[in-house]
C-alpha cells in the first residue's frame, strides 16, 4: 500500500466514525424527546381526569342543594348508609372498592391512576363546596338540578376522554362493553337501573332528577364525548378502540 492510499483509507474511516456518532446522538435525542412526550402526555391525562373529578363534586353538591334526588348511585349509597349504619363517604369508598375489584376480574386494563384520582378529587370538592352552596328558592333548586345533570355528564366524559384509567364505576362499564359488545348507554341503563332498585329496597332517597339521570345520562355522556373530540384546542387522548365501542 502506498502512503496516499493509507491516508485516504484513514480519512474514510474517520468520516464513517463521525457519521455513526452523529446517528447515535440523533437516535438518543429522539428517544429522550419521546420519553419526555410520554411523561407530558401522562400528566396531561391526569389533569383532565382531575378536572372530571372536580366537576363530579360540583354536580353532587348541586344535586344535594336542589333536593330533588341525584343519580342512581347516590340512592344506593344512602340506602347502604342506613342499612350498614355507616357514613355516606364510607359507603362510597366501599362501593368504589367493589367496582375496582369487579373490574380487576372483568378487564383490569381499565384500572390506572385515574381510578384513584377521580374519586379523591370528587370527595375533596364536595367537602369544600357543600357549606358554600345553598338553594333558597324553587327557581334555584330547578336550575341547580338542570345544571347538575349537564355537569355530571361532562365530568364522566372528561374522565373517559383522559384515558388514564376510568373512574371505578366506568371501569366496570367499559369492561362489560368489551365482554358483551353492548353500547355505553345500554350498559349504563342496566347498571344504573340495578343500583336504583337496590337503593329503593334499602330505603335510599330518590326524586325526579334520579329518574331523569337514569333515562338520559348515558346518551348525554356520549354527546359530551363527541363535543370534546370536536374541540381543536383539546389534545386528543382517547383510545380509538374505546371510541368505536361508544
Amino acid at each position: 500500500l502506498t502512503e496516499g492510499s493509507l491516508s485516504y483509507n484513514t480519512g474514510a474511516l474517520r468520516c464513517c466514525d463521525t457519521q455513526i456518532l452523529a446517528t447515535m446522538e440523533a437516535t438518543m435525542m429522539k428517544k429522550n424527546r419521546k420519553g419526555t412526550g410520554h411523561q407530558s402526555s401522562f400528566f396531561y391525562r391526569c389533569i383532565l381526569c382531575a378536572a372530571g373529578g372536580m366537576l363530579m363534586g360540583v354536580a353532587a353538591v348541586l344535586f344535594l342543594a336542589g333536593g330533588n334526588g341525584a343519580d342512581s348511585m347516590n340512592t344506593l349509597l344512602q340506602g347502604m348508609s342506613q342499612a350498614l349504619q355507616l357514613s355516606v363517604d364510607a359507603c362510597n369508598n366501599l362501593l368504589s372498592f367493589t367496582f375496582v375489584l369487579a373490574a380487576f376480574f372483568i378487564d383490569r386494563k381499565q384500572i390506572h391512576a385515574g381510578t384513584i384520582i377521580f374519586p379523591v378529587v370528587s370527595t375533596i370538592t364536595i367537602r369544600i363546596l357543600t357549606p358554600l352552596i345553598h338553594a333558597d328558592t324553587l327557581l334555584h333548586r330547578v336550575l341547580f338540578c338542570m345544571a347538575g345533570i349537564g355537569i355530571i355528564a361532562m365530568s364522566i366524559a372528561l374522565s373517559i376522554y383522559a384515558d388514564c384509567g376510568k373512574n371505578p364505576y366506568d371501569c366496570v362499564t367499559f369492561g362489560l362493553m368489551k365482554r358483551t359488545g353492548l353500547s355505553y348507554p345500554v350498559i349504563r341503563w342496566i347498571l344504573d337501573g340495578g343500583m336504583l332498585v337496590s337503593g329503593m329496597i334499602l330505603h335510599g332517597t330518590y326524586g325526579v332528577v334520579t329518574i331523569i339521570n337514569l333515562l338520559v345520562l348515558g346518551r348525554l355522556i356520549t354527546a359530551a364525548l363527541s363535543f370534546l373530540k370536536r374541540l381543536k384546542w383539546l389534545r386528543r387522548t382517547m383510545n380509538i378502540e374505546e371510541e368505536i365501542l361508544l
Side-chain angles (χ1 to χ4, degrees):
L1 294 174
T2 64
E3 183 178 349
S5 63
L6 287 172
S7 176
Y8 173 79
N9 289 335
T10 303
L13 287 172
R14 287 177 180 174
C15 182
C16 289
D17 289 342
T18 304
Q19 290 179 351
I20 292 171
L21 287 173
T23 303
M24 291 176 64
E25 289 178 0
T27 303
M28 291 298 295
M29 289 176 65
K30 186 176 180 180
K31 287 182 178 180
N32 289 336
R33 285 196 299 267
K34 187 176 180 181
T36 304
H38 283 322
Q39 291 178 357
S40 175
S41 175
F42 175 72
F43 288 123
Y44 178 75
R45 292 164 186 258
C46 288
I47 290 171
L48 285 181
C49 190
M54 183 183 67
L55 288 178
M56 176 62 78
V58 172
V61 173
L62 291 177
F63 286 143
L64 181 64
N68 289 305
D71 57 351
S72 300
M73 184 182 294
N74 187 268
T75 301
L76 177 58
L77 289 174
Q78 292 184 16
M80 289 174 60
S81 178
Q82 294 185 31
L84 301 176
Q85 296 299 306
L86 296 173
S87 67
V88 174
D89 279 348
C91 291
N92 185 38
N93 293 334
L94 178 61
L95 188 60
S96 295
F97 175 77
T98 304
F99 279 132
V100 172
L101 185 62
F104 182 82
F105 292 103
I106 297 172
D107 184 8
R108 66 190 65 180
K109 291 182 180 179
Q110 303 297 335
I111 304 172
H112 207 278
T115 309
I116 299 174
I117 293 172
F118 188 90
V120 168
V121 175
S122 298
T123 302
I124 293 172
T125 305
I126 290 171
R127 290 180 177 177
I128 292 173
L129 294 183
T130 298
L132 304 177
I133 297 179
H134 303 281
D136 299 324
T137 65
L138 177 61
L139 178 61
H140 286 162
R141 293 190 182 94
V142 173
L143 291 176
F144 281 1
C145 291
M146 291 176 61
I149 293 171
I151 291 172
I152 195 173
M154 183 56 69
S155 75
I156 297 172
L158 264 177
S159 72
I160 295 171
Y161 190 84
D163 196 29
C164 67
K166 308 299 185 297
N167 64 71
Y169 183 22
D170 279 322
C171 283
V172 175
T173 305
F174 275 82
L176 290 176
M177 282 167 59
K178 289 187 176 181
R179 289 293 185 94
T180 63
L182 297 175
S183 66
Y184 183 82
V186 173
I187 296 294
R188 279 206 71 104
W189 284 332
I190 295 171
L191 294 178
D192 284 353
M195 287 193 295
L196 178 59
V197 171
S198 300
M200 293 169 66
I201 292 173
L202 295 174
H203 305 290
T205 59
Y206 61 95
V208 177
V209 175
T210 312
I211 306 301
I212 294 175
N213 274 326
L214 174 64
L215 297 176
V216 306
L217 189 56
R219 293 294 182 187
L220 284 177
I221 293 169
T222 306
L225 276 169
S226 299
F227 173 75
L228 291 175
K229 287 184 287 183
R230 289 197 298 268
L231 294 178
K232 295 181 179 180
W233 54 268
L234 193 63
R235 191 189 309 171
R236 186 178 182 84
T237 61
M238 193 173 174
N239 190 312
I240 298 297
E241 181 184 356
E242 293 183 347
E243 182 179 347
I244 293 172
L245 285 172
L246 287 169

